[in-house]
Amino acid sequence: MSCYHLGIDCGTQGLSVVLTDGSVPSCPVVAVGEGSYDMLPPPDNTSSSEICEQNPDDWIEALRCAMDGIRTKLAVVASDASILDDVVSIGISGQMHGEVLISATGDVVGPARLWCDGRNAAEGAELTTLFGTKVPKRATVARFLWTARNAPQRAARTDRITTPAGYIAYRLTGQFDLGIGEASGMFPIDQSTLDYDVEMMAKFDTLIEQESAGAHGGGNTCNDDGQINIKSIRNLLPRVRLSGQDGGTVSADGAAILGVPSLSTKGTAVAPAEGDQVSALAGSLIASPGQVGCCFGTSVCANSVGDRAFAGVSSAVDHFCAADGKPINMIWLRNGTTFMNTVVDMFGTVLGGGNGGGEGDSARSSISSRAEVFQAVMPRVLQAAPDCGGLLALPFMDDEPGLDVTKGGSAGLYGLDTTNADAGNAVKASLLSVMFNLKLGSEVLSAQGYPRTELVLSGGITKTPELGQVLADVFDARVTLLSSAEEGTAWGAALLAAYRHHVAAAEGSESNSVDKGIISWSDFLSGIDRGDTTGTKSRANTQFLPDAGRVAAYQAVYERYKELVETEARIGDAVR
């Protein structure tokens, strides 16, 4: 019997949809569609780079466009776009931490503020102190506190708060539900109840009430005394749902958006909408304590699945939840591979390429791109000793809040001499500095005894798979490179849809067993065949195991690196 799942991912710059075949163990991608949108221009007389807003209706138009793309591709690969009628479930992913305000009539109240909108850093710090748990500036609750203070009439008109993924789910189902991972990016979750923290909600409401008492306005958003009325945060937030639970069914309006009327008539299930980080973990088949999803790019993000809630507050660690509610501890580095790429570009300029431009480019012919420079330099990087001949690097071209580096500009190579002045040493030291920063940020997790059994690696670094061995030796842990499609986050949303279908089918069965054959989310992901090549993409993986000798060698370099980082502020003051 035909069985297909749709995965929708609403990103910062565009939206993608994947159609997957649920009848195959690897849930392979059958067709992909895409749509795009832009940021809104800043308000009149405002040029702040901190303002990052979008029109939620643009996401819906992008979804329509992506579905048109799916139909066009199906006409080619399957000669029949009607297989969309066989979609049994839909999963939705989106950029986390957004603020989408909905009125009592279902209208959007103002533009949506995105995760990268930086206007509420002070509110995040204030709520961290108030709650006693870290609330990053990008958290939705910090955004809404800013809105209540700076746009109180807009806050008073708000009947519901949701996120980009939650808004798409609302438009498809008419319900305000969110997966627990996405919900945890809005407001702190109590691990004992797997719902919003009741005490923190009470503290937030008290704070709003105290400030509203001093704010006055007019119209039906005010009480008899002219004070601004803002609903309790409990009544504003979406309902929290776990993976597999009911996230609604496609409505007639939702089916019209998707262009598949039958999805409404047959009540196609929608999985609880999740955040992109949560769906990316799903797309990397990560769900068990000890697994770490590690993405190395211009920034670095490591999401560690925990076996219990984090204790205390650390500037290095942010917190959210996996799709089934397990705690996730996130280490995020602003300074990823940018410094290494800059060093490579410098060598490329000398060799006749790189990213540079300008006078003399016409004479450069031996190497024409950064990729070719990497290809030329990487063998020497792989041959370089763990200590890079004594060379160390600092990668801080920008600030690094999690490591208390408040300003950029201290990036550089240190300890250079005639014996280690080699491209391989310089590039490897630059890369190691990023891996060491990730290890520094992770020390607080190690101190609390969190397990670390496997690092699943993604991002640009995977273009040189052998670097996975370096990471395995630095962290003394197994590293897995999962061969996945570029649409991995949308594929993760499709897996959430597949799991919702599994649970719904089991709950609707006539089985008399207590669990009705329902398997856990982590067991479900474990059952996905990573190596199946039946579909259009192979998801075979490569693993690297730590070598005891190299582990000891890198640890010695790491200890030297920590001493260098301690001097960063003085170095920065001297060179800036």
Side-chain angles (χ1 to χ4, degrees), residues 323-397:
D324 59 354
K326 289 189 181 73
I328 302 292
N329 296 310
M330 173 196 283
I331 309 294
W332 180 77
L333 302 176
R334 187 188 307 278
N335 296 274
T337 57
T338 302
F339 178 60
M340 180 183 72
N341 292 339
T342 301
V343 173
V344 169
D345 286 344
M346 289 192 297
F347 283 111
T349 300
V350 173
L351 293 172
N355 271 6
E359 186 177 351
D361 279 357
S362 60
R364 297 171 182 163
S365 58
S366 61
I367 297 180
S368 60
S369 69
R370 177 186 289 167
E372 290 178 313
V373 180
F374 264 106
Q375 188 175 6
V377 171
M378 200 51 63
R380 300 172 77 165
V381 174
L382 297 174
Q383 293 169 6
D387 69 350
C388 304
L391 197 61
L392 292 174
L394 288 178
F396 303 117
M397 301 184 74

Side-chain angles (χ1 to χ4, degrees), residues 21-92:
D21 187 350
S23 65
V24 179
S26 63
C27 207
V29 175
V30 176
V32 180
E34 296 180 336
S36 62
Y37 35 77
D38 297 314
M39 293 287 183
L40 294 174
D44 293 340
N45 303 318
T46 303
S47 60
S48 174
S49 60
E50 290 188 324
I51 299 177
C52 297
E53 298 176 329
Q54 287 177 343
N55 181 351
D57 287 338
D58 290 345
W59 307 329
I60 302 303
E61 288 308 307
L63 177 55
R64 296 182 197 271
C65 180
M67 290 301 296
D68 287 341
I70 291 275
R71 276 183 283 273
T72 299
K73 292 177 181 177
L74 285 178
V76 175
V77 301
S79 301
D80 185 5
S82 67
I83 67 174
L84 286 171
D85 291 323
D86 295 324
V87 168
V88 296
S89 59
I90 298 173
I92 303 167

Side-chain angles (χ1 to χ4, degrees), residues 100-104 106-109 157-160 162 167 176:
V100 184
L101 307 179
I102 310 294
S103 72
D107 300 317
V108 175
V109 182
R157 287 180 56 206
T158 299
D159 187 66
R160 292 282 190 170
T162 190
Y167 180 74
F176 285 102

